[in-house]
Amino acid sequence: MMNNNGALGFGTAATGTHVIDRSGVNSRASGLKRILLVILTAQAVSLQADDVNAPAATNSFFESRIRPLLAENCHECHGRDKSKGGLRLDTRTGFLAGGSSGPLVDHSNPRQSLILRAIRGDDPDFHMPPSPGRKLTAAEVVDVEKWVVAGDSPVWPVYADEAVREGETGDDFSVEERSWWAIQPVQSPDIPSLAAGLTARNPVDHFIHEKLRAAGLRMAPEASRGELLRRASYDLTGLPPSVEMLNRFMADTRPDAWERVVDELLDSPAYGERWGQHWLDVTRWAESDGYRADDFRPHAWPYRDYVIRSFNEDKSYRQFIREHVAGDELAPDDPDSFIGAAFLRNGIYEWNQREVRMHWDLIVTEVTDLTAEVFMGLGLRCARCHDHKFDPIRQEDYFRFKALLAPIRWNHRKPLATPEQIEEHRVAQKRWEQETAGLRARIDAILEPRIRKKEHAALIMFPEDIQAMFAKTPEQRSPYEQQLVELASFQLERERRVFKPDSIKGEDGEKLGKLMKELAQFDHLKPEPLPPAHIAVDVGPEAPSVFMETRSGKREVPPGFLSILDPSPLGDHDFPGVPGGSSGRRTRLAEWLANDSNPLTARVYVNRIWQNHFGRGLAPNPNDFGTLGGPPSHPELLDWITSQFLQSGWKTKPIHRIIMTSAAYRQTARPSPEHVAASRQVDPANSLLWRFSPARLSAEQVRDGMLAVSGELDPMAGGPSVSHDTPRRSIYVRKKRNTPVPMFREFDAPDGFDSIPQRTSTTTPAQALLILNDEWPIARAQALAQRLMPMVQADPEAGISWLVQAAWSRNPRPDELRLMDSFLGDGPTDAPVSEESLTDLCHMILTSNEFLYLH
């Protein structure tokens, strides 16, 4: 049975250090002694010594517990715009300096510090906050006291060059905010020199060695050839290496044998299927609507094939971004490019939602949040209701960014075809329509009144203002009204789609039946419908307005980017003219995202590549490069690889080669116990990479690996999705959000509701029960036994060796060989190997830890 051996959790600590939020709450605090609107008013709380001595001297404690309180409750009166009592609580310098009443912290007697006496209410005439009816909870007071008394002084994260990172910049952001690591220009740092006695295979190792040496650690030895090949094959293709490939690599004595095998794997069509799956996780792709009905989307699969094709072609990531954000504007006649805009259309949808305004706002909001997470690694949604509590992202930034995406509509009428195909179809369709005009008119006379009645019944379920929009012509509607009408129209069109002509009875039913038979005689003239492009396009050249709610009311926000990077709002003159009646806003966004000077986009993507090789990124949270996401473990290395990525023309495969040919990637996951014990004391999470971290195969790798070893895997690529029982790659298995395949559900495959930048890897009894008892894994063991039987009958030891090589990518040890041979030969010495015993052996191999884990 599967157990925890070999599994490793990637625990991370948020250690962000730099961002001050300026948002606050309304307060009537005044007077010189109102030192801190630090937190909500506190009741006097008596603390036990062991409460306040609990560890609080960490950056993560400050960022998660203290800074939010300061930001929400203090900065309005003690911030950049106002500093009552001479006190600033939005910078470290201001906090340490105190105000006109003196220092906030008494280092000789920290529990009697001014800040604590004020929030505890020790002096009834002097406590904070002063507003009546606003009180701190006991827990909040405990947090502040823990913070104040821990260590020599309260932790307030600083930077290496603090002299230039505090104070003001003369604009809306402090120098501290402008020092946010993720928005600094990408540098090409000098490669560190290598200490004596250390070896490196490429520059990556220089950066890794430097960090390890500073921590008193060293790299683990290189893994065996079999381990390396299995690791690389699963990493790049999602499949185990074949026995033939294994033996060829083991026998290859050329000095560049490893580089050759990496290139071979990168050139495999299976590469796009593996790395396309990573991208589909991030972009929350699925083939159903979600919500309760979870209707299947039969035309969602071309986006999946586009992603696979793009990775196999090593399409420039810059172009990939452009096609995702604005493919319909940039290449409206190229279905191989504009299908990328399905990224904007893959969100969840509730087909019977009558509150159309709310529904559309949820859709556009989700696209806004997703775009920021996927391409910029930013949790922009945190600024939806107020300035971001940790990062220098203003509430207005959220709506500026949203305004760039606000013009989208979920168009389902654009064909996924070239202009030539469209014209050919138009000509054939016109001929069929001319030949059948009379027949169709008589059919419509029977069907249309009934269908319109159904549509009307659906229409009157909407609010009256939505009904009124339907009464207008498209020219009379505003862009926003047109978006709402088109969203609501899905429900009316559904009534037409599900209407069953055979439900009509009596004389009309008989007449309709005869007419339909006559019409069928012209089917040879009727062309097959062109597939619809499941994408989003713009509602028109004019964009709907975007509004932000503030304390002073609602105001319109012009489009723009993050103000800390590009503060100027965009006007109509900033948007390029694009074909097809679009606003051009998404083209402008795509160009900004895919620009070499954008400090976020390339870094975020390179970090994703690194993460999918090592199990965790150099920056620990792939979708959050903000304060709580944590700083990079190797910032110079991240920038060095990113600079190589930019120089390559934003190509992905060269980055794989850089990473995989390093000594860091080629380390064993099984160094000596002494090495592990010493290293875990210093770096238990292995963030410094003192060994290769073992990891369980993903759900798709488990399924596809079983099919590959059993010889059943169908290599057919692309096309509509198939059932789980079809022996094709898992990426082609139908993916419904609410009804996942059991294998995928139990082994932590994402459901497609949200962007999943990094999968969890659990170890549960349900997993063991499934692979031991479910019919599907057992059937794979049976197929493997049938494949193996002729080999075992001819030479049992050779057959067993082939089995171990195919499943574990190594030769069996002598004791394993004897044990397996004994298991198969448990009977008369001249008796043939039974299919049952061979199936049991194959089943044990396919459910073993060595099959389910990568080392």
Side-chain angles (χ1 to χ4, degrees):
M1 288 183 64
M2 197 170 70
N3 58 40
N4 230 354
N5 293 339
L8 180 64
F10 300 109
T12 60
T15 56
T17 60
H18 42 277
V19 179
I20 293 176
D21 181 83
R22 300 183 303 105
S23 63
V25 295
N26 206 7
S27 170
R28 288 179 243 164
S30 62
L32 209 53
K33 290 188 177 180
R34 304 220 158 136
I35 296 182
L36 31 157
L37 208 34
V38 177
I39 13 198
L40 301 173
T41 300
Q43 297 175 327
V45 179
S46 175
L47 301 176
Q48 299 296 322
D50 54 356
D51 289 333
V52 297
N53 286 333
T58 64
N59 290 347
S60 59
F61 183 87
F62 175 82
E63 295 292 358
S64 62
R65 309 283 277 277
I66 304 302
R67 196 194 289 271
L69 291 174
L70 298 174
E72 186 169 346
N73 302 287
C74 306
H75 295 174
E76 184 172 357
C77 293
H78 302 284
R80 184 179 65 86
D81 298 328
K82 190 185 298 184
S83 54
K84 289 187 175 182
L87 178 66
R88 289 285 299 271
L89 289 171
D90 61 338
T91 68
R92 180 177 184 271
T93 300
F95 173 81
L96 294 177
S100 57
S101 296
L104 298 185
V105 178
D106 182 347
H107 294 286
S108 63
N109 189 6
R111 291 191 182 87
Q112 291 303 311
S113 295
L114 180 59
I115 183 174
L116 296 179
R117 288 188 283 114
I119 66 171
R120 290 194 302 248
D122 292 351
D123 181 350
D125 296 325
F126 175 54
H127 64 270
M128 289 290 151
S131 300
R134 299 176 59 198
K135 297 181 178 180
L136 273 179
T137 66
E140 288 170 327
V141 175
V142 168
D143 281 345
V144 178
E145 188 153 356
K146 285 180 182 179
W147 175 56
V148 169
V149 305
D152 296 331
S153 129
V155 168
W156 190 306
V158 295
Y159 297 89
D161 186 11
E162 184 170 338
V164 299
R165 295 179 187 264
E166 292 284 1
E168 300 299 333
T169 60
D171 59 17
D172 193 40
F173 297 93
S174 70
V175 176
E176 184 182 17
E177 290 176 312
R178 289 204 169 277
S179 299
W180 178 20
W181 71 268
I183 64 168
Q184 305 311 307
V186 173
Q187 304 293 328
S188 182
D190 293 336
I191 298 170
S193 59
L194 205 62
L198 298 177
T199 58
R201 291 186 176 274
N202 69 25
V204 169
D205 300 322
H206 289 248
F207 292 97
I208 300 297
H209 277 309
E210 184 180 47
K211 290 282 188 177
L212 288 172
R213 185 164 55 87
L217 302 175
R218 68 183 190 279
M219 278 192 193
E222 185 165 300
S224 69
R225 279 203 160 196
E227 283 179 324
L228 280 177
L229 182 61
R230 188 170 191 266
R231 180 188 303 169
S233 185
Y234 269 115
D235 265 9
L236 290 180
T237 71
L239 298 170
S242 68
V243 173
E244 294 74 20
M245 186 180 194
L246 175 66
N247 290 331
R248 188 171 68 250
F249 177 58
M250 298 291 278
D252 191 346
T253 59
R254 289 173 294 184
D256 63 344
W258 176 246
E259 288 77 7
R260 288 172 178 271
V261 82
V262 168
D263 284 340
E264 180 181 348
L265 292 168
L266 286 171
D267 290 339
S268 166
Y271 162 75
E273 293 168 333
R274 176 59 187 156
W275 281 78
Q277 184 64 66
H278 290 314
W279 187 252
L280 296 180
D281 283 2
V282 174
T283 58
R284 56 74 170 104
W285 180 80
E287 294 179 277
S288 65
D289 288 342
Y291 289 113
R292 184 171 182 177
D294 203 33
D295 285 354
F296 183 67
R297 296 174 173 176
H299 302 291
W301 62 266
Y303 171 75
R304 173 250 289 151
D305 283 2
Y306 154 84
V307 169
I308 294 171
R309 186 169 63 250
S310 297
F311 275 99
N312 276 332
E313 294 171 355
D314 202 16
K315 179 180 290 183
S316 162
Y317 184 59
R318 176 191 283 121
Q319 182 63 18
F320 196 55
I321 293 170
R322 290 168 173 160
E323 292 169 353
H324 272 63
V325 177
D328 60 297
E329 295 182 347
L330 296 168
D333 295 332
D334 183 2
D336 287 341
S337 293
F338 71 64
I339 190 58
F343 165 76
L344 305 168
R345 178 68 178 83
N346 284 333
I348 56 178
Y349 165 70
E350 189 171 13
W351 77 266
N352 61 348
Q353 176 56 256
R354 316 300 183 188
E355 291 293 339
V356 185
R357 291 178 186 274
M358 177 196 72
H359 196 192
W360 184 244
D361 184 63
L362 288 174
I363 288 170
V364 178
T365 295
E366 191 265 354
V367 168
T368 302
D369 299 345
L370 183 78
T371 303
E373 290 177 354
V374 169
F375 299 113
M376 298 192 297
L378 294 183
L380 201 64
R381 67 183 70 191
C382 296
R384 192 184 306 162
C385 302
H386 46 68
D387 287 357
H388 200 293
K389 296 300 180 188
F390 304 102
D391 302 333
I393 302 172
R394 309 300 187 232
Q395 184 182 8
E396 186 167 351
D397 288 346
Y398 181 89
F399 291 94
R400 281 158 54 99
F401 197 79
K402 185 176 183 179
L404 292 166
L405 295 159
I408 65 169
R409 66 175 179 180
W410 279 13
N411 185 312
H412 59 300
R413 298 177 180 87
K414 183 179 178 67
L416 187 65
T418 64
E420 295 75 20
Q421 291 169 329
I422 293 171
E423 177 60 18
E424 181 181 351
H425 182 274
R426 186 195 66 78
V427 171
Q429 181 74 12
K430 183 177 180 181
R431 180 186 176 191
W432 175 80
E433 289 175 353
Q434 290 172 341
E435 294 288 339
T436 60
L439 271 173
R440 288 186 296 105
R442 284 182 282 166
I443 290 171
D444 288 346
I446 299 172
L447 288 178
E448 283 302 309
R450 292 171 170 85
I451 294 175
R452 290 198 187 105
K453 185 177 179 180
K454 293 282 189 182
E455 289 177 332
H456 180 72
L459 176 62
I460 62 176
M461 298 294 289
F462 293 109
E464 291 184 1
D465 64 327
I466 302 296
Q467 296 180 46
M469 293 175 195
F470 273 89
K472 297 179 181 181
T473 64
E475 294 73 24
Q476 293 172 326
R477 297 174 190 139
S478 70
Y480 179 58
E481 288 177 333
Q482 184 65 28
Q483 288 172 314
L484 297 182
V485 166
E486 291 191 4
L487 184 66
S489 294
F490 281 131
Q491 297 186 38
L492 275 61
E493 293 163 8
R494 191 177 195 274
E495 295 296 336
R496 177 175 293 274
R497 190 173 65 252
V498 302
F499 184 82
K500 297 179 179 179
D502 57 8
S503 64
I504 302 174
K505 306 299 181 184
E507 183 179 344
D508 280 352
E510 294 178 6
K511 187 187 301 184
L512 179 64
K514 292 178 181 178
L515 291 170
M516 295 295 282
K517 287 181 181 178
E518 291 182 49
L519 183 64
Q521 295 175 6
F522 295 88
D523 283 354
H524 65 286
L525 297 178
K526 187 176 183 180
E528 288 294 322
L530 291 173
H534 191 78
I535 65 172
V537 301
D538 263 17
V539 70
E542 182 184 350
S545 298
V546 170
F547 297 93
M548 181 176 90
E549 293 282 355
T550 66
R551 291 193 183 98
S552 57
K554 186 168 73 171
R555 66 180 177 86
E556 186 174 353
V557 179
F561 308 118
L562 292 185
S563 54
I564 197 168
L565 294 176
D566 194 341
S568 302
L570 300 175
D572 293 339
H573 62 281
D574 293 302
F575 301 115
V578 296
S582 289
S583 70
R585 291 190 178 192
R586 286 181 290 112
T587 293
R588 184 74 175 83
L589 172 60
E591 296 300 335
W592 182 77
L593 288 171
N595 194 293
D596 280 5
S597 64
N598 189 310
L600 289 164
T601 313
R603 269 196 189 106
V604 168
Y605 184 63
V606 166
N607 192 61
R608 295 192 194 282
I609 299 173
W610 183 278
Q611 169 214 323
N612 287 319
H613 281 301
F614 286 95
R616 61 173 288 162
L618 292 168
N621 192 322
N623 271 17
D624 186 1
F625 271 35
T627 302
L628 292 186
S633 58
H634 300 73
E636 295 82 8
L637 174 57
L638 178 57
D639 263 22
W640 183 82
I641 299 178
T642 302
S643 68
Q644 301 302 302
F645 176 67
L646 295 174
Q647 292 172 26
S648 76
W650 296 57
K651 294 285 189 175
T652 302
K653 289 185 178 182
I655 305 307
H656 289 303
R657 294 186 182 96
I658 289 173
I659 291 172
M660 297 181 70
T661 56
S662 69
Y665 180 82
R666 295 165 69 166
Q667 292 178 95
T668 182
R670 305 183 243 214
S672 69
E674 295 77 18
H675 183 102
V676 173
S679 301
R680 278 183 173 166
Q681 290 293 321
V682 178
D683 181 27
N686 192 28
S687 61
L688 299 180
L689 297 175
W690 45 268
R691 71 161 175 173
F692 191 88
S693 294
R696 201 204 65 217
L697 298 181
S698 70
E700 295 85 358
Q701 288 172 322
V702 172
R703 179 183 178 276
D704 295 350
M706 288 183 176
L707 287 170
V709 174
S710 70
E712 300 171 281
L713 186 63
D714 181 351
M716 177 183 173
S721 298
V722 297
S723 72
H724 171 58
D725 293 331
T726 306
R728 291 182 61 196
R729 291 294 301 265
S730 296
I731 198 169
Y732 301 117
V733 171
R734 187 174 295 118
K735 182 173 182 178
K736 294 196 71 177
R737 287 182 161 105
N738 286 335
T739 51
V741 171
M743 174 78 77
F744 297 164
R745 181 188 63 239
E746 298 303 336
F747 282 89
D748 309 306
D751 51 25
F753 281 97
D754 299 294
S755 173
I756 302 298
Q758 188 171 14
R759 293 192 185 187
T760 57
S761 183
T762 62
T763 303
T764 69
Q767 294 167 355
L769 291 170
L770 185 145
I771 59 176
L772 288 175
N773 301 311
D774 188 75
E775 292 180 1
W776 194 91
I778 293 173
R780 305 292 72 75
Q782 291 170 338
L784 177 55
Q786 291 169 7
R787 181 185 190 186
L788 192 61
M789 182 63 80
M791 289 184 261
V792 171
Q793 289 175 333
D795 185 341
E797 289 193 2
I800 293 170
S801 294
W802 184 94
L803 173 62
V804 173
Q805 290 173 341
W808 296 346
S809 300
R810 65 172 176 84
N811 290 314
R813 298 190 303 268
D815 59 322
E816 292 172 329
L817 193 60
R818 287 193 301 272
L819 183 63
M820 294 182 197
D821 186 47
S822 174
F823 179 83
L824 294 178
D826 189 13
T829 55
D830 57 347
V833 173
S834 72
E835 184 175 336
E836 182 180 2
S837 62
L838 187 56
T839 298
D840 285 343
L841 176 61
C842 292
H843 195 196
M844 285 188 285
I845 292 289
L846 294 179
T847 58
S848 64
N849 266 1
E850 191 155 353
F851 181 80
L852 294 168
Y853 282 86
L854 280 178
H855 296 90

